[in-house]
């Protein structure tokens, strides 16, 4: 059996979330509805929040400047859509493939010192800093490109 | 303001749009631009209090949408993901400018009469809302914008801000109290 909501808790939620119970925390809505049906003070608490809710309902976000709107429209043209990614399965090559790669590497070593850099994967990342909370997997590929990763299996 | 029921109906659609952006669908990108650009811009403006910074935040947010949409977890909500990106970008800018401490300063609520102010003119109140949000602490304004203007649930807003739901509730309650006092006074009602 669910615990009934106290009037005190009902008021706290009304003060925070306003008069629309659909905006209240999902786990507490059922108890809130039950109290609102049976309690005049609870209904009064909701009534006290309606006028501010009406102001929120009439809010319209400020229009973007034409310059910003145009820049946002053009972003896909200015940005590489998908950074090049090394397929994971590429590093599970069979032994013969690794042997061939090793022989190729030896051959490269006899060539120009720049040959190894030419085979390095590069990703396009137009953003200098990584904001917290966003997936940083592209930085791993960038590390590879810079030579910071020597063991290809680090990408797994 | 985004109504909760409408928001739920659009959630699946937004997820699909992000997934299509991940496949390079420019039409899906344009659709998300139409749906979120103004909201995210206003949100960024509330956080940074700087027009140029807010525009940079929005541009970077949509750049990340275009570049990283393929990383989006379809179990998450697109609106939470986009707001989280914008929030983190804005906070990083504040940190760079040495303004991060300002987020934590909660403004004292404007002292109000004990009686409940009645806002008889909601449309005029919306104009005053912008001014009132400007005068609030950034954390309170952020909480108000996320939940009451941009339609995120309390749980989602707390996730965007990196705080617990109880802390969010406190910010919302203080923010609403401040707004009721300011808007009631501005509209001259008792």
């Amino acid at each position: 059996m669910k615990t009934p909501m106290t009037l005190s808790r009902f008021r706290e939620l009304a003060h925070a979330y306003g008069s629309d119970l659909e905006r209240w925390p999902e786990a507490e809505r059922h108890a809130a509805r039950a109290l609102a049906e049976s309690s005049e003070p609870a209904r009064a608490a909701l009534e006290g929040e309606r006028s501010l809710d009406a102001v929120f309902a009439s809010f319209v976000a400020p229009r973007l400047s034409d310059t910003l709107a145009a820049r946002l429209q053009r972003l896909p043209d200015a940005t590489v859509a998908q950074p090049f990614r090394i397929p994971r399965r590429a590093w599970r090559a069979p032994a013969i493939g690794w042997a061939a790669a090793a022989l190729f590497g030896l051959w490269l070593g006899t060539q120009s010192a720049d040959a190894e850099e030419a085979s390095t994967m590069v990703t396009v990342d137009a953003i200098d800093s990584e904001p917290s909370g966003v997936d940083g997997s592209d930085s791993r590929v960038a590390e590879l490109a810079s030579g910071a990763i020597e063991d290809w299996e680090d990408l797994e | 303001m985004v109504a909760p029921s409408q928001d739920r109906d659009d959630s699946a659609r937004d997820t699909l749009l992000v997934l299509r952006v991940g496949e390079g669908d420019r039409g899906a990108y344009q659709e998300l631009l139409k749906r979120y650009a103004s909201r995210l811009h206003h949100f960024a403006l509330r956080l940074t209090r700087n027009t140029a910074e807010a525009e940079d935040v929005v541009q970077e947010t949509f750049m990340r949408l275009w570049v990283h949409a393929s990383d989006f977890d379809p179990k998450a909500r697109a609106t939470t993901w986009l707001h989280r990106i914008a929030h983190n970008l804005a906070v990083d800018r504040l940190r760079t400018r040495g303004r991060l401490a300002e987020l934590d300063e909660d403004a004292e609520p404007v002292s109000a009469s004990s009686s409940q102010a009645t806002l008889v003119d909601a449309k005029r109140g919306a104009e005053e809302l912008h001014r009132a949000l400007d005068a609030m602490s950034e954390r309170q304004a952020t909480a108000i914008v996320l939940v009451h203007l941009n339609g995120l649930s309390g749980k989602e807003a707390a996730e965007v801000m990196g705080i617990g739901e109880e802390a969010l509730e406190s910010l919302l309650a203080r923010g609403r109290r401040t707004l009721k006092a300011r808007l009631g006074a501005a509209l001259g009602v008792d």
Side-chain angles (χ1 to χ4, degrees):
Chain A
M1 185 173 131
K2 296 189 179 185
T3 309
M5 182 177 283
T6 63
L7 182 59
S8 171
R9 177 60 182 154
F10 189 96
R11 283 180 174 142
E12 282 176 1
L13 289 168
H15 292 328
Y17 291 103
S19 61
D20 186 351
L21 296 186
E22 292 304 308
R23 290 197 172 276
W24 290 26
E26 194 173 344
E28 301 192 72
R29 269 180 231 158
H30 180 79
R33 281 191 204 105
L35 186 59
E37 281 172 18
S38 63
S39 164
E40 178 57 38
R43 288 194 293 276
L46 293 181
E47 188 59 36
E49 302 296 328
R50 288 197 205 287
S51 55
L52 181 56
D53 289 342
V55 173
F56 289 145
S58 65
F59 171 79
V60 177
R63 197 177 153 274
L64 297 181
S65 68
D66 291 340
T67 313
L68 177 60
R71 287 208 314 256
L72 294 176
Q73 296 272 351
R74 286 196 303 265
L75 260 179
D77 297 322
T79 311
V80 172
Q82 298 292 335
F84 186 89
R85 294 184 182 280
I86 301 172
R88 287 175 178 264
R89 61 181 178 278
W91 308 118
R92 300 190 194 278
I96 194 168
W98 283 113
L103 285 173
F104 181 67
L106 277 174
W107 177 81
L108 279 179
T110 66
Q111 304 303 309
S112 162
D114 290 337
E116 184 177 344
E117 187 178 343
S119 68
T120 303
M121 307 294 189
V122 177
T123 188
V124 176
D125 188 345
I127 300 166
D128 291 330
S129 65
E130 191 77 17
S132 52
V134 178
D135 178 19
S137 60
D138 287 345
S139 64
R140 296 287 290 160
V141 182
E143 283 180 285
L144 172 66
S146 69
I149 299 175
E150 294 185 4
D151 187 348
W152 297 94
E153 290 181 351
D154 283 352
L155 289 171
E156 295 293 330
Chain B
M1 180 177 75
V2 181
S5 55
Q6 175 191 3
D7 194 39
R8 283 196 298 272
D9 292 341
D10 291 339
S11 177
R13 179 185 169 192
D14 287 348
T15 296
L16 187 60
L17 286 171
V18 173
L19 293 175
R20 280 165 51 191
V21 170
E23 294 165 1
D25 186 334
R26 292 181 182 218
Y29 171 83
Q30 296 295 336
E31 184 64 28
L32 285 169
L33 203 59
K34 214 182 303 181
R35 292 170 61 73
Y36 284 100
S38 293
R39 276 195 263 172
L40 290 174
H41 176 247
H42 179 250
F43 176 54
L45 202 52
R46 288 295 152 205
L47 271 173
T48 61
R49 308 287 175 108
N50 181 293
T51 303
E53 295 273 10
E55 293 195 351
D56 285 347
V57 165
V58 173
Q59 184 170 333
E60 283 204 39
T61 300
F62 279 94
M63 185 184 293
R64 285 192 172 271
L65 164 65
W66 181 247
V67 172
H68 293 287
S70 57
D71 295 333
F72 175 70
D73 178 359
K75 290 194 288 288
R77 281 192 51 175
T79 185
T80 309
W81 186 61
L82 289 170
H83 278 89
R84 181 86 168 146
I85 292 172
H87 180 266
N88 289 345
L89 286 168
V91 166
D92 283 348
R93 270 170 169 68
L94 290 173
R95 186 177 288 124
T96 301
R97 287 197 272 131
R99 286 189 52 205
L100 196 59
E102 292 179 21
L103 276 179
D104 295 325
E105 289 169 8
D106 289 332
E108 286 299 318
V110 173
S111 60
S113 65
S114 56
S115 62
Q116 172 64 50
T118 304
L119 304 174
V120 295
D121 188 345
K123 273 197 171 176
R124 189 174 149 216
E127 293 168 4
E128 295 296 331
L129 176 59
H130 288 290
R131 293 195 190 91
L133 285 170
D134 276 340
M136 291 170 66
S137 79
E138 286 167 23
R139 284 173 70 81
Q140 286 180 20
T142 300
I144 292 286
V145 168
L146 284 172
V147 172
H148 291 297
L149 301 183
N150 286 14
L152 274 70
S153 70
K155 188 177 171 186
E156 289 164 344
E159 186 187 326
V160 168
M161 294 180 71
I163 61 177
E165 284 183 64
E166 209 172 295
L168 176 85
E169 233 174 76
S170 177
L171 286 171
L172 287 173
R174 292 206 302 275
R176 285 181 67 101
R177 191 164 64 240
T178 300
L179 284 174
K180 276 187 265 182
R182 287 186 188 275
L183 294 178
L187 294 177
V189 295
D190 32 52

